[in-house]
Every structure is written in structure tokens, then in C-alpha cells.
Amino acid sequence: MQLGFVTAILPDYDLRQVFQAAAEIGYDCVEVMCWPQGKDARRYAGITHISAEDFSDSDVTTIQQMADEFGISISALGYYPNPLTPDLEEAQKYVEHIQKVIAAANKLGINRMNTFIGRDWKKSVDENWPRFLQTWPEIIKFAEQQQVRVGIENCPMSFTEDEWPGGKNLAISPAIWKRMYADIPSDYFGLNYDPSHLVFMHMDYLAPIRDFADRIFHVHAKDVRVDQHRLDQVGILAHPLEYHTPKLPGLGQVEWGSFFSQLNEIGYQGPVCVEVEDRAYEDSTESSLAALRQCHTYLRNFIPERK
């Protein structure tokens, strides 16, 4: 396995600074954010460390030279919009940019791109399914042509009032993953697996590693703490952030020894990228770098350096 981090935590850095920080701390790789240029109101969104717009051979050369200079690889290109939003014009823009990011991953020789399925959050899973079947077969067919595997993160995206009640990503549970892969049985359609989302939904986060071993293309390392005293007040039907708190690995309720033991058991050899969303480390770039150093120190207990 390779230890890395998601570059969204360093929004004020350019790609060279990101590579340099990764090398100085001791990481092996980074998942690079590829949002379209411009602001986005959502936390950790709208960050562009590689622009997939008009991505050229010159861009490829520059990026590969920087990666070689610092000895850091790119685990995947990441872009996490809602391509099933009820605004069809907006959805089409998201789909087109997903395809641009897939094409950029192909040009860079990276075989992974990570994203969300999306969802109309006011409709049920069944009511969303026709849109899923209209939208995703074409994206995955394009990914097959580009030989880029698409990893879907299993985050429910149901944390704020505008995402209530259903969330903005369908792919939240083993039951829905089975349905997705039954309808689109492509080897290029898999998971960017994050255990923290299953913890706060009171679900087993180890069994899916075994059950979906051949679908795990990429892993996010994020921890979570379920605040029982708050849950006792609001119940599980409240906005999830009312009763749980994202944390750095080792500061929450994920049992990382068991988690990595299961990844070893299935022979997973891919990247594991820290996703820092712990508000205790968000007040400055130095705090973000401190979080990355702490995560590196902790997770190296489970992912040894191979140099």
C-alpha cells in the first residue's frame, strides 16, 4: 500500500508546494483535486491543483517532472460534484467535467479517478434510479475507453440543510453498491472506500472490504467520533453533524488495526489517502500541515515505508 493525502486540505498551495509538503512529511502519494476554476460554497470543494480544462501534453510533462523531482506519485484525480442534481443544465456541466478529469487521468498515465454518483436529495433511491441509469453507463463507457477506473466515494453528503433529507450521493451502502454494479457490471466502476461514513451510520465497516474486495480501487483514511450524548438528544434522523464529528485517524472510533488487517487479507496494494476534515486543524495552513504530520506518524504504524 501507499500512504498519501487528499490535496483539498491545502487550498492555498499550488501543486508544486503540495508535492514538496508531501515529500517533506514522508508521504508516498497524493489524490489531486481537479475542480473547475472558480469558487464553490461547499467545504473542501472548488479546489484546483490540476486543471482538467484544455489539459495538454505540456501539462503532462510539467506535472510528471514535478512528481519525479519530489518522489511523489499521484494516486488519483478527484472531483466530487452532484451529477444527478435536479438542475439538468448544472448536472450536464458536472458530467462533462467528470469526463475531462477522466481524460486527464489517462493523459497522466494514472488509472484512477474518484467522484460521487450524485442524487436528487428530495427523492428516494428508487426514484433516483432512472437518472442513474441515464447518466452513469455513458460515463463508465468513456472511462473504459480511457482505461481509467472510477472510484465512487461512499459519503452520503447529507450534512447540511440544503442536502437534507436524502443527501447528494446515492452510493452510501452495500445494498446500493450491489445494485449499481449489477446494472453497470464494468471492471472500471468501483469504490473509493471510506470507513468513517459507515461508522456514524451504525454499520459494519469491515465486512464490505471482504464483500467488495474487487471493487475497492482507492481508500480514504478518515476517522469519526459518534457523540452519544448529542445523539441521545437529537436521534439518528437529525442532520448527521448534530451527533458525530469527523476526526483525524486515531482520534475517532475506526479500529485502524482491524481495518488494515482486512485490507491486507484481501491483498489490497493500492493507495490509502488521509482526508483531513477535522475542524480542530482548520484555522491555518500550519494547522493543516500539523494534521498531515500527525496522520503520517500514526498511519505509518500500518503502512510501512518501502524505499
Side-chain angles (χ1 to χ4, degrees):
M1 285 181 261
Q2 306 89 51
L3 180 59
F5 65 85
V6 179
T7 68
I9 194 58
L10 296 174
D12 297 328
Y13 275 21
D14 60 24
L15 186 61
R16 182 179 186 81
Q17 290 172 307
V18 167
F19 279 144
Q20 184 172 1
E24 288 176 354
I25 297 172
Y27 283 100
D28 307 312
C29 60
V30 288
E31 180 190 347
V32 180
M33 291 300 99
C34 298
W35 288 76
Q37 298 284 349
K39 297 291 184 183
D40 192 290
R42 203 180 88 208
R43 294 171 71 222
Y44 313 112
I47 296 162
T48 312
H49 284 124
I50 290 178
S51 174
E53 306 278 357
D54 302 318
F55 195 68
S56 67
D57 291 341
S58 173
D59 293 325
V60 172
T61 301
T62 300
I63 292 167
Q64 289 178 338
Q65 286 176 343
M66 276 195 289
D68 290 344
E69 177 183 347
F70 291 103
I72 299 295
S73 63
I74 297 176
S75 66
L77 300 186
Y79 171 51
Y80 297 89
N82 179 5
L84 300 189
T85 182
D87 184 326
L88 298 181
E89 184 177 349
E90 184 182 352
Q92 183 59 32
K93 290 180 181 177
Y94 293 151
V95 169
E96 290 173 0
H97 196 75
I98 286 173
Q99 291 177 322
K100 289 179 182 177
V101 177
I102 290 170
N106 170 281
K107 278 181 171 288
L108 282 165
I110 304 165
N111 67 349
R112 299 185 195 88
M113 181 270 174
N114 295 329
T115 190
F116 290 144
I117 288 294
R119 174 174 175 163
D120 182 339
W121 56 99
K122 296 181 181 178
K123 293 182 177 179
S124 70
V125 172
D126 285 342
E127 289 169 335
N128 269 274
W129 215 254
R131 280 286 306 284
F132 167 73
L133 293 176
Q134 288 173 7
T135 302
W136 276 93
E138 180 180 338
I139 296 174
I140 297 303
K141 182 178 180 181
F142 180 74
E144 289 174 346
Q145 293 166 348
Q146 297 290 313
Q147 297 187 324
V148 173
R149 297 192 297 172
V150 177
I152 303 298
E153 185 178 355
N154 53 298
C155 177
M157 293 307 296
S158 181
F159 303 119
T160 57
E161 289 190 8
D162 69 309
E163 295 168 336
W164 193 253
K168 294 183 176 178
N169 183 28
L170 277 174
I172 65 169
S173 67
I176 295 175
W177 305 337
K178 288 177 185 175
R179 189 173 176 181
M180 283 166 36
Y181 301 132
D183 284 350
I184 308 178
S186 169
D187 292 339
Y188 287 81
F189 192 30
L191 289 172
N192 176 22
Y193 188 67
D194 184 330
S196 70
H197 305 305
L198 296 171
V199 173
F200 83 77
M201 291 192 289
H202 305 270
M203 299 169 73
D204 188 336
Y205 58 91
L206 298 177
I209 298 174
R210 300 187 297 270
D211 297 341
F212 293 87
D214 60 342
R215 295 289 181 183
I216 297 178
F217 296 168
H218 195 275
V219 171
H220 274 179
K222 186 172 69 181
D223 215 330
V224 69
R225 187 190 68 221
V226 176
D227 299 308
Q228 189 63 45
H229 65 290
R230 291 161 58 187
L231 180 59
D232 288 341
Q233 295 298 312
V234 300
I236 60 170
L237 299 183
H239 296 156
L241 282 180
E242 291 187 60
Y243 60 83
H244 90 279
T245 306
K247 301 302 296 179
L248 301 186
L251 300 182
Q253 292 172 224
V254 174
E255 295 181 3
W256 291 98
S258 298
F259 182 75
F260 281 102
S261 178
Q262 288 296 333
L263 287 177
N264 285 325
E265 194 75 14
I266 65 167
Y268 180 76
Q269 297 294 322
V272 177
C273 287
V274 175
E275 188 180 27
V276 178
E277 294 186 354
D278 188 332
R279 287 181 181 273
Y281 294 83
E282 289 186 346
D283 62 324
S284 67
T285 299
E286 185 49 48
S287 291
S288 298
L289 292 170
L292 291 174
R293 286 192 286 270
Q294 181 171 324
C295 293
H296 177 267
T297 299
Y298 180 74
L299 292 174
R300 276 299 182 205
N301 289 290
F302 308 102
I303 305 176
E305 287 186 271
R306 300 181 186 278
K307 293 184 178 178

